Amino acid sequence: MSDAGAENQEPLTSHQEEQQLATGNVEDKSQIKEWKSSEEKEKSDGGRIRETDADKLKITGDSVVSEVYTATANTRLPKEKRTNVRAHALTLDWAFGMNRALPVFSLQEDQDQLVILYAATNVGVIYNHTSISQHLLQGHSNHISCLCVSEDRRWLVTADKGQKNLVIIWDSYSGIPVHTFFDCHPEGCVIALALSKDSKHLVTLGAEEVQRVCIWDWTNDTEKPLCCTELSPKYGFQNYIIFNPNDSTQLLSNSGSQVLFYKRTQRSVEYFAPELHYKYFKKPVGSFSQSVFHLKELQALTATAAGNIVLWDVVQCTSHSKHPANPPHPANRNVINLIPLQKDPITVLTTADSCIVTGDTLGHIHIYDENFMLLIGYSKFNLDAIASISFSKESVLTNTHGSQEDCTLEAKPFIRNFVLSTVSSTVVHVNAQSHVHQILLREHCEPLHAVACHPKQPIVAMGSHSGILKVWDQNSKLYISSRIFETEKQIQCIAFDPQGLYLAVGFGSGAVYILDPCTLQSDSETCFSCTQDSISHITFSLDSMYLATADAGKAVTVFRLQTNNGLHRWKCLGRHRSHYKPIKDLLFGVHLDSTQPRLLSLGMDRRLVEYDLDNSDENQLLILSSERIEQSAVPTCMTWYPPLTMEQFLLTASDQYKMKLFNSTTKMCRKTLLGPRYGSPVEKVVVLPMSKEQDTSSHYMAYITKDKVGVQILPLDGNPYKSSVLICHPTGVSALACSCDGRFVFTAGGSDCTVLSWEISRNALEAAAALGGKDLTPFYSLLEGGRQVEFCREIEDFFFYCQLRNQGIDLMEERRGPSRIPLAEVPFVMRALGFFPSEQELEDMQNEVKFSKYADTGKYETDIDMEEFIKLYINHRPAYGISNDDLIRAFHVLGDCNETREPVLQRHELLELLQARGEHMTEDEVAKCFSTLVGLGPDEERSELDANESEDSEYLLEPGIPDEISMKTFTSHILGFLPCAKESDGSSPPEGKIAESQD
């Protein structure tokens, strides 16, 4: 039976994402339209509404006015601390890291503020370096692919890549999104964009197979572009585009080998591709990097990787051609010259005032006049290749009256400060007067997979594949210490011990370093290399006496702290390859009958392994037990369940959206629960520590999925409203950590080189859960159509029918007593509802009910009521049912392809699998089941069985089952399912990895 409850919860996911798209203030749409119309009247102010008009618009009686009207540059990132009242369970607090492939822009620079803009994963970051504060532009559910700013720094534009990509225009003063374009390049993402000088028009360059250039008038309430054009693939992949600052009807873009010039008319845009004849130049030209329009001359410039500048002539053509055979181009553009400007490859080319500015691969910046005479050179900053250069909006020598303070002959020829970024994620501010540079940011430039929080202090550590380890103060957002590992690279995981005395680091090379958390230093005796396989997990015991690691070699290594003559030294206790598939989690605990630590590992082989730490000796790590805890699901993580009952549980999550509680001693599955279903299963869980400021005694849990972070109210019961999630890293989350006070969780994005800090509001989470309803109301929403539907009435009918059958149908007396049924009836009701659990699943169900109150009362439960049954059914049935793709995967794994490349199973192979693998069936059970499925009559079946007692089931079923069984034959002929309207032929497996056969 398919799970209709999944469809009922999916809107919650989209609702959470919509909340993220509208983070912060929700503006009245009518005010936005009014503001847009008033903005069009202010063309002379470069797209900005003058303060006087904004003040007038603010006087609107009792109506609420958008902050866009009243915001100014001085209100950007206010210094006052934000209110502690949160409307959402999770609020993005800080973004550590940046997208080094995108430019960094200078937004504001004066005596009081230094503000820049950059992108980090799927958020834009307005960073105030003066006050060390961030304003985060949340709205994208995909990775940001490009961004730009207006000439006056008032408007910001961000675009993302992926399905349902967005282009959002923001007001930089208030941080409010004022316009959004949905899926403006549906066949690809936006790879580049730019605003015209008057900020009225926006151009987007798509990344489709056949690229499109679209020009939008975003100040009008329209979802269609003014004009579009498709680019011929022969000109290469265009990745950069700008407007002509002197004429917004002209644009240019470039690829690595071709520059395109555009001319926009009222309803169309045309482009021209000038030819560059390399034979005319006796030197290599080099691949193109960036292009700009000359600020004064009718010329365009293109920088190359050979250090050259290609100079293009831009001459307007007449509107009509006298030669019809030679149709006019938007402009006649030819190469004027190839200027060998410098020896090193030029990575950045821009203009400021009347100057031309370049940045190269050596980290040098050169400023030239309009005749390419060098004015200033910055070559002593010791930087990597320059990725972007952005100049301040106003000259530093311009006073409040707008005139030059220094008009002497000795005045500096260039008087704009600027901000630059490098390919190594370093952001530098340069003072044009003093030539002094200041490093604003120095972030990780390689994948960042490791993050950990100090157990007693507000300190967070993070390490990346570049070998850089940084420790930050989470309150002040300043890093305390850092270390660059020279011999070891690729930091994979880190962990503090529970006392905060050690910081362990695991590397991709298999090395393990145990550091002082204050100095980040280590000696030779605390550096271990027991394997060449990458370390995937690292954790300390609760008494800080043991350290365990899991590696890509499917092995666990244990280190023990020994004391000799008062000196503490770490020694390798041993290594054991305890799994035959990758290890998913590693966990220390404490034995119930003692204070001795215990160690468990959980693998994709579905085995939970416990190690014998007491009897293990040097170079000999022993295994205490190894239990298989899943039949078909693959475990993803585990943690200790908080002490909500007298019984201690181990919590595990699986790829089938289920969470299970196992008795910590017997390893018996005591409860199965429906986990969060937000597109991908839970991959890691952390139980939050009790907060000192917490009003309630509830416990909470944080978790991550493939690309989301969430919080959950405990105890777990399958209620979907007790959980809340947000998209955190669209390209994937790799690690999760919780602060010592439980107020913040940190997520590492891996490939996006970013760590995000999330503030948790327990009150908001409790309020959202309360809105979901009480008792069975949240669970009815998971059934097909809710409570008032036929399916829900069927559950009640089957339940009451079991009561009748148990009490006796012929009973004439009045039926009284509780509305409960014996546990023995549960399997029949489940099957009647279309859920066919395995024998192990039935045993787990009965144990769950049987021992539900044993720890408290010492008695077994022998029956179940209606409310408990509905919860049991919802929590145990498949989260999304069995889909067509599941059947295709099974046939591709178990069968072989025939001549038509369709996976098929031979009849004898299917019967052997059913009798030998998994919960195998007897020969008689197989014969009876297939006889019923294929429609053999009872008399015919009985006579054949009696006549052929010595014969096997394959011979008996030969008339009803063909020799070769395809997926279509299996579903329609054997199972009797109706064919789907769009049924797959099964010739190719579904997207993603084909599931491995069950062991």
Side-chain angles (χ1 to χ4, degrees), residues 638-742:
M638 63 178 175
T639 190
W640 294 110
Y641 201 61
L644 301 176
T645 64
M646 297 180 62
E647 194 173 359
Q648 186 182 29
F649 294 117
L650 179 69
L651 171 66
T652 67
S654 72
D655 66 341
Q656 294 184 359
Y657 299 90
K658 299 292 183 181
M659 289 188 170
K660 291 186 177 182
L661 297 180
F662 292 88
N663 183 282
S664 62
T665 303
T666 64
K667 309 295 195 311
M668 175 191 292
C669 179
R670 290 280 287 99
K671 204 161 191 178
T672 300
L673 300 146
L674 180 64
R677 298 178 303 166
Y678 296 103
S680 58
V682 171
E683 296 187 353
K684 186 173 178 59
V685 294
V686 174
V687 175
L688 303 180
M690 297 289 289
S691 174
K692 296 180 180 179
E693 302 175 356
Q694 190 172 328
D695 297 334
T696 66
S697 58
S698 300
H699 289 75
Y700 302 87
M701 177 184 75
Y703 61 89
I704 55 174
T705 65
K706 180 182 178 180
D707 59 350
K708 300 176 181 69
V709 59
V711 285
Q712 170 85 42
I713 300 175
L714 300 179
L716 295 170
D717 59 2
N719 183 348
Y721 297 99
K722 285 187 174 182
S723 179
S724 178
V725 300
L726 283 176
I727 295 176
C728 54
H729 300 272
T731 55
V733 194
S734 59
L736 173 69
C738 173
S739 64
C740 60
D741 58 2

Side-chain angles (χ1 to χ4, degrees), residues 319-620:
S319 58
H320 300 283
S321 175
K322 297 181 181 180
H323 304 282
N326 185 20
H329 292 296
N332 180 22
R333 297 165 175 87
N334 299 307
V335 177
I336 298 176
N337 198 0
L338 181 67
I339 303 174
L341 200 61
Q342 55 191 70
K343 295 181 180 179
D344 304 305
I346 299 175
T347 56
V348 176
L349 177 65
T350 186
T351 58
D353 297 331
S354 58
C355 299
I356 300 166
V357 185
T358 65
D360 58 36
T361 55
L362 295 183
H364 300 166
I365 300 97
H366 297 92
I367 301 175
Y368 303 87
D369 65 10
E370 55 194 40
N371 296 318
F372 299 100
M373 298 297 294
L374 181 64
L375 299 177
I376 306 174
Y378 299 94
S379 59
K380 297 182 180 180
F381 292 165
N382 193 23
L383 301 173
D384 293 323
I386 305 298
S388 69
I389 301 174
S390 176
F391 291 91
S392 60
K393 183 174 65 173
E394 296 180 354
S395 169
V396 295
L397 293 184
T398 303
N399 58 28
T400 57
H401 301 288
S403 60
Q404 294 282 334
E405 292 184 355
D406 189 355
C407 299
T408 64
L409 294 176
E410 290 78 15
K412 300 292 183 181
F414 191 79
I415 51 177
R416 265 183 211 275
N417 295 345
F418 59 94
V419 171
L420 63 89
S421 65
T422 70
V423 294
S424 60
S425 298
T426 300
V427 180
V428 178
H429 174 263
V430 179
N431 188 299
Q433 286 183 284
S434 62
H435 295 225
V436 174
H437 73 286
Q438 177 187 11
I439 296 179
L440 305 182
L441 297 172
R442 193 189 294 274
E443 303 292 352
H444 295 275
C445 60
E446 296 292 337
L448 200 163
H449 293 280
V451 61
C453 293
H454 195 281
K456 297 182 178 181
Q457 299 178 23
I459 292 175
V460 58
M462 53 192 75
S464 66
H465 278 191
S466 59
I468 299 176
L469 177 66
K470 282 189 175 184
V471 178
W472 294 78
D473 185 320
Q474 83 179 45
N475 292 332
S476 65
K477 304 300 187 296
L478 297 174
Y479 79 88
I480 303 171
S481 58
S482 64
R483 177 178 175 180
I484 301 177
F485 294 90
E486 301 295 341
T487 57
E488 303 292 343
K489 301 291 184 182
Q490 294 192 359
I491 298 176
Q492 290 292 122
C493 50
I494 55 179
F496 286 95
D497 77 294
Q499 307 303 320
L501 302 177
Y502 303 100
L503 176 60
V505 183
F507 294 90
S509 63
V512 175
Y513 283 23
I514 303 176
L515 313 176
D516 183 309
C518 298
T519 63
L520 301 184
Q521 298 303 311
S522 59
D523 53 42
S524 58
E525 296 184 356
T526 57
C527 300
F528 302 91
S529 184
C530 301
T531 178
Q532 294 183 349
D533 298 309
S534 175
I535 305 298
S536 58
H537 298 81
I538 191 165
T539 183
F540 283 92
S541 61
L542 297 180
D543 59 1
S544 301
M545 296 299 294
Y546 289 90
L547 170 67
T549 65
D551 55 57
K554 311 174 188 66
V556 171
T557 306
V558 176
F559 304 88
R560 182 164 56 193
L561 183 63
Q562 298 179 345
T563 304
N564 293 323
N565 299 325
L567 298 177
H568 299 287
R569 289 287 183 267
W570 287 94
K571 297 293 183 181
C572 181
L573 184 62
R575 182 173 181 265
H576 197 119
R577 193 176 187 272
S578 48
H579 296 269
Y580 63 90
K581 287 186 179 180
I583 297 174
K584 298 299 294 183
D585 213 342
L586 193 63
L587 183 66
F588 271 106
V590 177
H591 287 284
L592 292 179
D593 55 354
S594 67
T595 59
Q596 295 300 313
R598 59 189 298 196
L599 175 63
L600 300 97
S601 63
L602 184 64
M604 291 184 66
D605 53 7
R606 306 177 180 90
R607 305 202 72 85
L608 178 66
V609 178
E610 183 168 2
Y611 301 85
D612 189 354
L613 298 179
D614 293 336
N615 298 318
S616 296
D617 201 357
E618 189 171 353
N619 297 325
Q620 188 179 17

Side-chain angles (χ1 to χ4, degrees), residues 922-993:
T922 64
E923 189 172 336
D924 184 52
E925 290 173 336
V926 171
K928 288 182 178 180
C929 287
F930 275 101
S931 297
T932 303
L933 288 171
V934 299
L936 293 177
D939 297 335
E940 179 183 356
E941 175 188 347
R942 189 180 299 108
S943 62
E944 289 187 4
L945 290 174
D946 293 340
N948 302 281
E949 289 182 355
S950 60
E951 309 220 8
D952 58 16
S953 59
E954 181 180 358
Y955 176 78
L956 298 175
L957 299 175
E958 185 174 338
I961 302 178
D963 293 336
E964 194 174 81
I965 305 171
S966 65
M967 194 191 75
K968 184 177 181 180
T969 303
F970 183 76
T971 56
S972 60
H973 177 67
I974 297 177
L975 297 182
F977 292 165
L978 296 176
C980 300
K982 295 182 179 180
E983 184 175 353
S984 171
D985 60 0
S987 60
S988 60
E991 294 182 5
K993 185 183 294 185

